[in-house]
Every structure is written in C-alpha cells, then in structure tokens.
Amino acid sequence: MQYTKLGNSDIEISKICVGCMSYGEASKDFHEWTLNEEESEVLVKRALELGINFFDTANSYSHGTSEEYLGRILKKNVARDKVVVATKVYFNEGHLSKEAIEREIDGSLKRLGMDYVDLYIIHRFDSGTPIEETLEALDKLVKAGKVRALGASAMYGYQFMNLQYAAEKNGWTKFVSMQNHYSLLYREDEREMIPICKQQNVALTPYSPLAAGRLSRPEWKTDSKRSQTDRMAAGKYDKTKEQDYDIVLRVNELAKKYEASMTQIALAWQFAKGISSPIIGATKAEYFDDAVGALDIKLTKEDVAYLEEPYVPHRIAGALSS
C-alpha cells in the first residue's frame, strides 16, 4: 500500500479509501443493495489486510447504521490510532447550522463508538446558514478534540473559496480535503474546483471514481442488485450513456493493453491526475484487491489523452443549486 498526507494536515492516509455507503441496513428509502454487518466485516478486514487505513462514512448513510457497523467492526479488528475515520454532516435537520453541527457530531461519535473522528466533512454547501456560523462551530469541534481535521464535499468552486477565505480571515480551521464527484465520466470540477484545491494543497478524495461501476466493466449495467436498484447512480449516469460509452470502451481497450482490469485503468487515470485517495464503495472483498493493483500502473500522457478525448460537458451532478 502507498500512503500520502491528507492535504496540509499531519494525517497519513492510504491511497485507496473505503467508501462505507455500501454498509448498513438496506431500505427502500435509502439503498436496497447495502451489506449487513457480517458481510461488511469481511470487506473491512480485507481492506485492513491490504494496508488500507482510510474509511469514509456519513451520518446519513443507511440512517446511521453505516456508522454503527463501521465503529463496531473497526473496534474488533484494529487499534483506533491505526485508522483514519471520516464522517459527514449536512443531510440532517438544520443542515450546517451551529445547533445541527453540535448535535450531529455527538450522534456520529456515539454511533461510531469513538471519542473523535479524524476527518469531519461538510457533505454539501449550506446556502441557508451564514458560513461564519458553520465555520466557527466546526472550529470549536477541532479545539474540543472531537475532530482532527475538516473536509468538504461536492460544491461549486466559488463556494469553497468563500469558506476557505472566511476561515483564514477569522483564524478558524481551514479545510484540508475535498470529496468531489470525479471520474472519467464526470470531469466538470476540472474547470474550477480541482485547480483551487491543488493551489491550496487540499487533498482530493473523489467519490464515484468508477461511476458506480460503469468504468469497471464493458457492460453499462449488470444483473447485480446494486446495478438494478441504485436509482441515485442511474440518475447521475444513464442520461449521458450515448456520449459516455465510448470512454468505457477506451478504458476496456487500455485494460487489455496493460493486461489489467478496467477498474485499475480508471483508477490509474485518477492517480495520473493527482488524486490523493479515490473512494471505493466495494460490495465484494476482491474489489479492494483489484483497486490496490491500480497503484502499480503508470499511464503515459498519450494514454491519459486517449481516455479523455471523447468527453463532452455534463450537467452539474453533486453540487447543490442555492
């Protein structure tokens, strides 16, 4: 396993992150395809065996049961200081208000069974709360020792810049990571967000690096439970299948050239673009082995250009309109 620093923090993360939206009680009003606790433990244990130390969950995943599963599984299998745990706040009552942040961090810590989280991520930008209120509340969590570092996710570049500027101006804790929507099938953040993050040494830890599996196989969909029931992924990707499928075929072509999997090519592209740690939401343990193999593949500039050439602009998917 390879490791890197989480932006300007002293936190060391593996270059593959375990996305824990796959873990938790299945439900029709969130996800029907999530794994139960026993199944989740198999995956977490395999990730740990591979040297992965970075785990990403959220207060909203499977109505909090993702945090509960992850906390219990990690406690059984690894020392707390050997893993980096991230969770999130926003998709809850009050979004990013002071009251919501104080309430939700305590709820997350209780469900995780932990005294602190390493990375606390604002899941979206809250246009209904003054950013100073949000930033001061987050800063107090860091000073209280409940949170080691702050991250953000899925917003517009100017919103992130406003947050960073306000934090610096007031002496509050700045964000060290950005969990944005980024893959070969969705590259809109290359316009503003990614250059901003690179300029400020903010770690990029994108979600959906494989476009919900569409970059991991030649077929657009499969008969798996997730492929058949994941309405969120269908909404993000299926409308642009006609223009995007050529990219999938090119990933498959390069996979054959390198005698690698499509997953490895899609993730090798991420590393070639300077990504710190893409988030892998695996539902089978062997998918982690596959993902880790991407660290051994070095794409040429010509390979990168070939993969990117068919891309056309997409509608924003992730950042919320105010």
Side-chain angles (χ1 to χ4, degrees), residues 25-37:
E25 292 181 6
S27 63
K28 289 192 175 181
D29 63 341
F30 190 77
H31 291 312
E32 300 177 51
W33 47 268
T34 52
L35 306 180
N36 64 33
E37 190 163 348

Side-chain angles (χ1 to χ4, degrees), residues 139 143 165-174:
D139 183 66
K143 287 183 167 64
Y165 173 73
E168 184 170 349
K169 178 182 177 183
N170 291 282
W172 294 323
T173 307
K174 295 177 71 174

Side-chain angles (χ1 to χ4, degrees), residues 51-72:
I52 298 173
N53 74 342
F54 190 16
F55 296 84
D56 175 86
T57 185
N59 60 346
S60 58
Y61 292 170
S62 293
H63 306 293
T65 59
S66 173
E67 290 179 323
E68 292 173 359
Y69 286 14
L70 180 65
R72 288 195 291 262

Side-chain angles (χ1 to χ4, degrees), residues 184-208:
L184 274 164
L185 300 190
Y186 186 83
R187 294 168 43 207
E188 298 309 298
D189 276 0
E190 290 179 355
R191 304 172 191 274
E192 299 288 346
M193 181 61 80
I194 290 175
I196 289 169
C197 290
K198 289 186 176 180
Q199 184 182 57
Q200 299 190 6
N201 193 35
V202 170
L204 293 163
T205 63
Y207 68 87
S208 292

Side-chain angles (χ1 to χ4, degrees), residues 93-309:
E93 183 182 349
H95 296 314
L96 299 182
S97 68
K98 174 181 180 290
E99 292 77 15
I101 288 170
E102 292 174 350
R103 179 188 68 240
E104 293 301 320
I105 187 61
D106 287 342
S108 287
L109 290 174
K110 182 177 180 181
R111 288 187 291 272
L112 286 162
M114 297 175 179
D115 297 324
Y116 68 93
V117 291
D118 300 277
L119 181 64
Y120 202 42
I121 299 169
I122 56 171
H123 217 154
R124 293 293 187 272
F125 182 83
D126 182 5
S127 58
T129 300
I131 59 176
E132 291 80 8
E133 178 181 336
T134 295
L135 291 168
E136 186 174 19
L138 292 171
D139 183 66
K140 286 181 178 178
L141 298 186
V142 177
K143 287 183 167 64
K146 293 182 178 182
V147 172
R148 291 179 66 194
L150 300 176
S153 178
M155 59 185 63
Y156 292 98
Y158 78 92
Q159 294 171 330
F160 187 58
M161 278 295 293
N162 286 341
L163 287 166
Q164 293 287 67
Y165 173 73
E168 184 170 349
K169 178 182 177 183
N170 291 282
W172 294 323
T173 307
K174 295 177 71 174
F175 297 93
V176 300
S177 70
M178 169 54 64
Q179 187 178 131
N180 58 322
H181 182 198
Y182 189 55
S183 74
L184 274 164
L185 300 190
Y186 186 83
R187 294 168 43 207
E188 298 309 298
D189 276 0
E190 290 179 355
R191 304 172 191 274
E192 299 288 346
M193 181 61 80
I194 290 175
I196 289 169
C197 290
K198 289 186 176 180
Q199 184 182 57
Q200 299 190 6
N201 193 35
V202 170
L204 293 163
T205 63
Y207 68 87
S208 292
L210 302 175
R214 286 158 180 78
L215 289 165
S216 68
R217 58 182 184 255
E219 305 83 18
W220 191 257
K221 283 193 175 184
T222 69
D223 58 0
S224 72
K225 189 169 185 179
R226 178 171 186 180
S227 188
Q228 296 299 315
T229 64
D230 193 341
R231 295 180 294 275
M232 189 182 299
K236 283 191 289 190
Y237 302 114
D238 288 358
K239 292 176 183 176
T240 55
K241 175 184 175 182
E242 185 176 342
Q243 55 262 53
D244 290 344
Y245 190 57
D246 186 35
I247 300 171
V248 174
L249 296 179
R250 291 192 182 203
V251 172
N252 189 38
E253 183 183 336
L254 281 189
K256 293 175 181 176
K257 170 186 170 182
Y258 281 91
E259 297 183 340
S261 69
M262 290 178 63
T263 290
Q264 290 168 349
I265 297 299
L267 294 180
W269 173 83
Q270 295 254 342
F271 295 130
K273 302 294 284 188
I275 297 306
S276 297
S277 185
I279 296 171
I280 307 301
T283 52
K284 295 181 181 178
E286 58 263 31
Y287 291 168
F288 289 133
D289 295 76
D290 195 15
V292 170
L295 293 167
D296 296 324
I297 297 174
K298 300 292 185 263
L299 298 178
T300 66
K301 290 182 179 179
E302 291 75 19
D303 291 332
V304 170
Y306 184 65
L307 290 171
E308 294 180 353
E309 191 270 332

